[in-house]
């Protein structure tokens, strides 16, 4: 892989870190609304925190899809002369990205279908 592609990926990852910062910020805001719901049984607060959480999971899913795509490209670009360790590591990276994607999809499903306030995703 050329240096230009590596630099482009690093720039994309820098942007993803900024998105993660906002995800963390919105997660804290969501927790504030969830506390308000639990203390006051405020249905509007419940709707707000669930909407924020769903949005967070959707954004995270797009990030996970990006990493699956990048790792899949890397697996396809492995050269025949790549060492067994390089091949193994690249395949493990792809599996890891796929597991994050599956976990994110499950978390989104739980958030979309769960109405009970005791269903908590960390």
């Amino acid at each position: 892989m050329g240096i230009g592609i590596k630099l482009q990926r690093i720039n994309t990852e820098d942007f993803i870190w900024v998105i993660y910062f906002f995800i963390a910020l919105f997660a804290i805001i969501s927790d504030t609304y969830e506390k308000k719901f639990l203390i006051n049984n405020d249905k509007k607060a419940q709707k707000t925190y669930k909407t924020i959480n769903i949005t967070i999971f959707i954004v995270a899913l797009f990030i996970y899809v990006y990493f699956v795509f990048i790792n899949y490209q890397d697996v396809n670009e492995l050269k025949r002369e790549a060492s067994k360790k390089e091949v193994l590591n690249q395949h493990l990276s792809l599996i890891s990205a796929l597991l994050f994607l599956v976990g994110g999809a499950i978390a989104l499903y739980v958030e979309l279908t769960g109405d009970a306030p005791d269903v908590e995703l960390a």
Side-chain angles (χ1 to χ4, degrees), residues 18-110:
V18 172
I19 293 172
Y20 275 137
F21 171 77
F22 284 104
I23 285 174
L25 182 65
F26 281 105
I28 292 169
I29 292 168
S30 171
D31 285 350
T32 303
Y33 282 104
E34 186 174 7
K35 287 176 194 172
K36 185 176 179 183
F37 165 69
L38 292 172
I39 293 169
N40 303 323
N41 200 22
D42 182 349
K43 296 296 183 183
K44 184 178 179 187
Q46 180 187 30
K47 184 177 179 181
T48 301
Y49 87 78
K50 287 189 72 65
T51 301
I52 292 171
N53 288 347
I54 290 167
T55 304
I56 288 171
F57 286 128
I58 289 171
V59 170
L61 270 179
F62 281 111
I63 292 170
Y64 301 151
V65 166
Y66 168 77
F67 283 116
V68 167
F69 178 73
I70 291 300
N71 281 289
Y72 180 75
Q73 279 184 330
D74 290 346
V75 165
N76 284 335
E77 291 177 6
L78 284 172
K79 304 207 181 328
R80 290 184 179 254
E81 58 271 359
S83 70
K84 287 183 181 182
K85 184 177 181 180
E86 289 171 321
V87 172
L88 176 64
N89 283 340
Q90 197 55 60
H91 280 87
L92 289 175
S93 291
L94 176 59
I95 291 168
S96 173
L98 284 167
L99 290 174
F100 272 99
L101 180 61
V102 169
I106 292 169
L108 177 60
Y109 175 80
V110 168

